[in-house]
Amino acid sequence: MGGNAWMQTGPYQPDLVAAFRQAQEESLAADDHGFEGRSVEDLWRDEDWYEYVFTGGTASVLDFPAMIDATDDDGPFMRPLTDGEVRAWSPGGRPTQEEWDRALDTGRLAFPNRAQGNCTVLYRDGRPALIGYWGMTAD
């Protein structure tokens, strides 16, 4: 089987790891996937959660236990794009949400391999506004 591609946005924070954790908590609050009353940290200590994520997943930021450095490429983790990777599809280096959507829709920006995710800051009026997350489920 192949993974399923997904994309979502989350709130911007200068600390990308903190923004990722906030997006995870918001995703979990919107849908606990049958794991009621647990935090994200609790989920990643539960073998049943591993089974759930790696045999179907949530198609969201919840599919990843942590964010890694932009220069790493090991999965299953969320990885921010490098500046060079952003400029490959957004030459000005400050992509808007519309630019990001279009790049993903046209294939100028690729989805990562199965069980991996990427993220980048999205801008509105030249200022950071959101974080764009996209990835592929493990299944």
Side-chain angles (χ1 to χ4, degrees):
M1 299 201 134
N4 294 310
W6 60 269
M7 55 193 279
Q8 75 180 81
T9 59
Y12 171 76
Q13 290 189 43
D15 179 340
L16 292 182
V17 172
F20 172 62
R21 287 292 180 218
Q22 182 180 355
Q24 286 184 308
E25 292 296 340
E26 289 178 4
S27 291
L28 185 60
D31 184 352
D32 66 17
H33 300 275
F35 290 81
E36 187 176 344
R38 306 215 187 133
S39 70
V40 172
E41 291 79 18
D42 291 339
L43 292 175
W44 282 104
R45 288 189 285 260
D46 185 333
E47 288 183 25
D48 290 337
W49 180 254
Y50 280 87
E51 179 73 15
Y52 183 77
V53 167
F54 294 121
T55 60
T58 68
S60 77
V61 292
L62 292 172
D63 288 348
F64 307 99
M67 182 178 287
I68 58 175
D69 187 79
T71 58
D72 290 339
D73 63 0
D74 194 19
F77 298 106
M78 180 61 63
R79 183 185 73 81
L81 295 185
T82 65
D83 185 58
E85 289 172 320
V86 171
R87 288 180 183 278
W89 56 274
S90 176
R94 291 178 175 248
T96 64
Q97 183 172 356
E98 294 76 21
E99 203 174 7
W100 174 67
D101 286 337
R102 194 169 39 255
L104 284 169
D105 288 345
T106 62
R108 288 184 58 220
L109 177 58
F111 280 86
N113 294 326
R114 287 174 44 196
Q116 294 182 342
N118 291 130
C119 66
T120 194
V121 175
L122 302 175
Y123 294 78
R124 186 179 306 121
D125 299 323
R127 295 176 183 234
L130 296 168
I131 307 290
Y133 299 96
W134 68 104
M136 192 72 65
T137 60
D139 63 332

